[in-house]
């Protein structure tokens, strides 16, 4: 079990790096959820793993004196992944650094506040990439593009994608939760999807769906509350935490099932059970932080930070995306 805090490399005598890690975790509800669930995993820049079967093909039986028919087990094709690097840096002129060293102005206090603002913006952008990242041009590949309807790497015939339209059926092109008549149908359907995930630890959704789910849970008398890593109250849906991500992380503009020209007006909900060798963010850095330092022949110091990570879905039973929900 690993957390971002455990895996981070903080080179920061000033203490700004440790503060920065706290800012990142507090600014991203999804990263805070992964921290609570120990959803990180340590591995190399280029990492690999062998996929395992999700279930036995048959359940055998034997009579007295008999034996079981052995199943042949052989490793499949080794899969590889590569960490994507995302971060930022800030330069500060050596003249301002001299002011700080000599106590002439409160440059240190100003710079700490400046970094907090930039780190909050980084956390917002990084959380969005964890779902929407394309995997192109050095960008991390996000969950929406991994769980897209194609087979998961190493698991032929396994997509881990469910269509919420099935909750209402008929000619509907989505599960329309703007219609209160569909609430009960959606709850029944969602229960059927939740049991398809081993030990679900969170239902991850955007603000619009979170508000609707809160209303539905209260109406169905299954609304509860727990606490996250920082002691912040988190609403639960029949005991499972509802994780509300930041605006823009999971959009309301995903396509519905309309033929030819789908309407881009739906969203997705992710049922997740993060952890090592399950669904994890692989990293060899955690949050890497380096305090500014004057480099010879350079007229400024540079504070920099970086997260090197990539998604790995080793156990398909640890995640399920439910798409085509209209709110």
């Amino acid at each position: 079990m690993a957390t971002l805090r455990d895996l981070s490399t903080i080179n920061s005598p000033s203490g700004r790096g440790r503060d920065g890690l706290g800012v990142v975790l507090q600014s991203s509800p999804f990263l805070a959820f992964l921290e609570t669930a120990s959803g990180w995993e340590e591995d190399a820049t280029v990492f690999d793993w062998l996929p395992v079967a999700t279930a036995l093909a048959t359940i055998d039986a034997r009579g007295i004196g008999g034996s079981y028919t052995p199943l042949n087990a052989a490793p499949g094709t080794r899969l590889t992944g590569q960490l994507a690097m995302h971060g930022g840096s800030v330069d500060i002129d050596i003249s301002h650094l001299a002011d700080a060293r000599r106590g002439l102005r409160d440059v240190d206090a100003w710079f700490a506040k400046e970094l907090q603002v930039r780190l909050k913006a980084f956390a917002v952008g990084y959380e969005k990439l964890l779902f929407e990242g394309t995997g192109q041009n050095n960008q991390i590949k996000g969950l929406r593009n991994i769980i897209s309807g194609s087979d998961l790497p190493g698991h032929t015939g396994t997509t881990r994608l469910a269509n919420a339209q099935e909750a209402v059926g008929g000619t509907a092109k989505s599960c329309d939760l703007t219609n209160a008549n569909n609430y009960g149908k959606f709850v029944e359907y969602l229960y059927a999807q939740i049991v398809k995930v081993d030990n679900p630890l969170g239902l991850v959704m955007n603000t619009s769906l979170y508000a609707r789910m809160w209303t539905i849970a209260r109406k169905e008398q299954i609304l509860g509350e727990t606490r996250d890593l920082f002691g912040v109250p988190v609403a639960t849906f029949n005991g499972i935490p509802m994780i509300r991500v930041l605006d823009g992380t999971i959009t309301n503009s995903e396509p519905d099932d309309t033929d030819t020209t789908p309407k881009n007006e739906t969203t997705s909900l992710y049922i997740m059970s993060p952890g090592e060798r399950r669904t994890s963010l692989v990293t060899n850095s955690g949050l890497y932080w380096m305090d500014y330092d004057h480099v010879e022949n350079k007229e400024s110091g540079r504070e920099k930070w970086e997260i090197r990570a990539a998604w790995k879905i080793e156990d398909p039973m640890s995640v399920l995306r439910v798409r085509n929900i209209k709110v």
Side-chain angles (χ1 to χ4, degrees):
M1 306 296 283
T3 65
L4 182 65
R5 190 180 301 275
D6 293 336
L7 296 175
S8 290
T9 304
I10 307 293
N11 301 304
S12 178
S14 71
R16 285 189 299 272
R18 291 182 294 277
D19 293 343
L21 175 61
V23 170
V24 168
L25 289 174
Q26 291 178 342
S27 300
S28 166
F30 184 68
L31 289 178
F33 164 63
L34 286 182
E35 196 75 356
T36 302
S38 297
W40 295 78
E41 183 171 349
E42 186 177 29
D43 213 331
T45 302
V46 178
F47 59 94
D48 58 58
W49 74 98
L50 289 171
V52 295
T54 56
L56 295 176
T58 60
I59 301 297
D60 207 354
R62 72 174 184 88
I64 294 175
S67 61
Y68 296 115
T69 302
L71 296 174
N72 292 323
T77 302
R78 185 175 294 275
L79 304 176
T80 62
Q82 182 168 326
L83 306 184
M85 306 175 193
H86 296 284
S89 62
V90 179
D91 282 359
I92 182 169
D93 195 273
I94 55 175
S95 185
H96 291 309
L97 297 180
D99 289 344
R101 283 194 299 269
R102 296 168 185 264
L104 298 177
R105 291 292 185 275
D106 55 350
V107 174
D108 278 347
W110 163 81
F111 193 59
K113 293 177 182 177
E114 177 79 8
L115 280 174
Q116 284 193 4
V117 172
R118 292 174 183 265
L119 283 168
K120 286 180 180 178
F122 169 75
V124 171
Y126 192 66
E127 185 184 271
K128 181 174 182 179
L129 286 176
L130 291 179
F131 287 86
E132 298 290 328
T134 64
Q136 303 296 318
N137 299 318
N138 300 317
Q139 199 176 87
I140 191 172
K141 191 170 187 178
L143 283 178
R144 179 185 172 189
N145 293 310
I146 296 173
I147 311 174
S148 62
S150 300
D151 291 350
L152 292 183
H155 297 281
T156 302
T158 301
T159 65
R160 304 305 287 167
L161 181 68
N163 189 343
Q165 185 276 340
E166 297 171 0
V168 293
T171 60
K173 302 304 180 183
S174 65
C175 180
D176 186 358
L177 293 184
T178 65
N179 183 351
N181 292 328
N182 290 330
Y183 288 179
K185 297 176 183 178
F186 177 70
V187 169
E188 182 176 330
Y189 177 80
L190 185 56
Y191 276 146
Q193 306 314 308
I194 288 173
V195 300
K196 296 177 182 178
V197 175
D198 292 339
N199 187 33
L201 299 178
L203 307 178
V204 183
M205 65 200 81
N206 67 20
T207 301
S208 300
L209 183 55
Y210 178 90
R212 194 57 44 83
M213 289 280 288
W214 192 93
T215 298
I216 293 172
R218 184 182 63 174
K219 187 177 188 306
E220 298 292 328
Q221 299 183 352
I222 54 174
L223 181 66
E225 185 178 283
T226 186
R227 302 273 169 165
D228 70 7
L229 185 68
F230 303 100
V232 177
V234 177
T236 62
F237 182 90
N238 199 36
I240 304 175
M242 295 193 295
I243 311 303
R244 178 195 58 79
V245 298
L246 299 169
D247 289 343
T249 296
I250 301 174
T251 70
N252 285 321
S253 57
E254 296 177 8
D256 68 3
D257 286 348
T258 301
D259 295 333
T260 309
T261 308
K263 295 180 180 178
N264 296 320
E265 59 182 19
T266 68
T267 189
S268 292
L269 178 151
Y270 295 79
I271 307 168
M272 297 190 67
S273 181
E276 292 184 356
R277 296 180 297 280
R278 295 176 61 74
T279 293
S280 61
L281 266 179
V282 175
T283 183
N284 69 356
S285 67
L287 177 67
Y288 175 83
W289 187 284
M290 182 69 71
D291 270 359
Y292 60 62
D293 189 18
H294 176 54
V295 181
E296 189 176 1
N297 296 325
K298 182 174 172 60
E299 285 71 38
S300 62
R302 175 167 295 169
E303 196 105 359
K304 57 185 178 182
W305 61 91
E306 179 175 81
I307 295 178
R308 302 185 290 270
W311 282 114
K312 179 178 70 167
I313 302 178
E314 189 166 343
D315 180 0
M317 301 302 291
S318 63
V319 65
L320 180 71
R321 174 186 166 198
V322 182
R323 61 168 290 271
N324 207 11
I325 305 168
K326 181 180 178 181
V327 288

